[in-house]
Structures are given as C-alpha cells and as structure tokens.
Amino acid sequence: MVRLENVSLHYGQGPDILSGVSFRLEPGSFHFLLGASGAGKSSLLKCLYLGQQPSSGRISLFGRDVSTLTREDRALMRRRIGVVFQDFHLIDHLTALQNVALPLTVSGEPEAKAQEKVRELLTWVGLADCMDAYPPTLSGGQQQRVAIARAVIGRPSLLLADEPTGNVDDRIAMRLLFLFQELHRTGTTVLIATHSEAFMRRFKQPCLRLEAGHIAMEPAQPETAALRDDRL
C-alpha cells in the first residue's frame, strides 16, 4: 500500500526534516506515527498525500512510483486517500453537511443517498444539531469532527490523520478512534499521527516513531487492549 525508500525532505537550504526514511505499510494495516511537535510528522503525511515532493528518495503508493504519475493519475490517486488535516481545510461557504458530502459528490453518488450517509455519520460523531452550520460558526472541536467525517465518508483505501483528536475531549477522542478502527476493519489502511505516547499506548497497534528525521518501527504492545465499542 505504502512504501518509502530512503526518503529525505528539506525546505530551501534548511536542514533535513526527514532523513533517509524507509518503511512500508501493508494493505489493511493500522499504525500510529509518533513524534514530538516539530518532529516532521505533518511533513511526512504531506508527502504521502501527494502534497509535497520529497527532496530525494522514492515513494510508492498502491504499487506505483508517485514520481511517474501524470497530473490526471495524481488526481485519481488522491481520491483513494482520506486526509484529516491539522488545520481542517473546511470550505467556509459550505455547511457541515455539504463539506462532508464533497467526496461522495465528486465520485458521482446520487445526492439523496449521499445526504443519508452524511446525516448518519454526523449524528454518530455528535453533530446532529450542526449539519446546516457553516465552519466559522463551529468550535475547533466541532470543525475537527466535520473534517474527520469528510475524510472517512467515502471509505478511502488509505486514511492519513494528523493529530485528529487534538481539539476534542477524551470521550469524543475515543469515539473517533473507534470510527478509525471500524474503517480499518473494512480494509482501509490507517496511519494516525500523534505526539501523545500515553494516548497511543491505549490501543493495540504498531507504531512508527519519528525522531530527528529518522523513523523506527515498533510492534504493538501486548499489554494494551484494542478499543471496543462498549467502552464508549
């Protein structure tokens, strides 16, 4: 699903943010990307959703070297990737419902069916009363839930989430992580960036640890328990 080979990234004449990063994610896997603030997690995710070219090295997604893709191929590949951005990237002149429906609209899903799916998902994440609200009128936590709902509504093949629980309380955070796990159970490959080791350790998933531009794979901790719906 994802393969990085000796990937490095720097901006301008600055130091390497990523330095010789190599790893692979198998289809249907679930990993956390752990690192302190400023460690380069967002930059790595940006490379994976084709928002940034690495300075050197090779990235392959879905079995294809991304450096060989045409503009049309890149656009088609992005449709297979769900992204939760740290700054949400919501469209201010669209309602919460319309923002979440965008991936379904782009894929050609009938409007009535799309709205039914969106209403169900927004209700599940606690936004039943905010469907017709515009992003500027929502709190940071509410905007974050809209962004997450938009990222997962189309059941992407690959989900990348950058600190997706940073603006919500613990109960909502657990509910959102359960949503990611349910998506994972349907076959989606999931990579969630977080700076919180304590939060990550509550879940039985392997971890990619990013430090000083280098990455190391850590297996799941056997003593941690997988998230279950009845805990919510």
Side-chain angles (χ1 to χ4, degrees), residues 134-146:
Y134 292 91
T137 70
L138 299 174
S139 70
Q142 289 170 327
Q143 290 185 50
Q144 189 159 35
R145 281 179 274 169
V146 173

Side-chain angles (χ1 to χ4, degrees), residues 5 7-8 10 15 18 20 34 43 49 80 85 87-88 98 104 111 120 122 145 156 163 202 215 219 222 230:
E5 299 175 69
V7 167
S8 295
H10 59 264
L18 304 175
L34 181 67
S43 294
Y49 63 73
R80 303 178 64 186
F85 300 95
D87 53 359
F88 314 138
Q98 291 168 333
L104 302 181
E111 183 178 355
E120 181 180 359
L122 285 175
R145 281 179 274 169
E163 300 281 0
R202 298 170 72 175
I215 208 155
D230 59 13

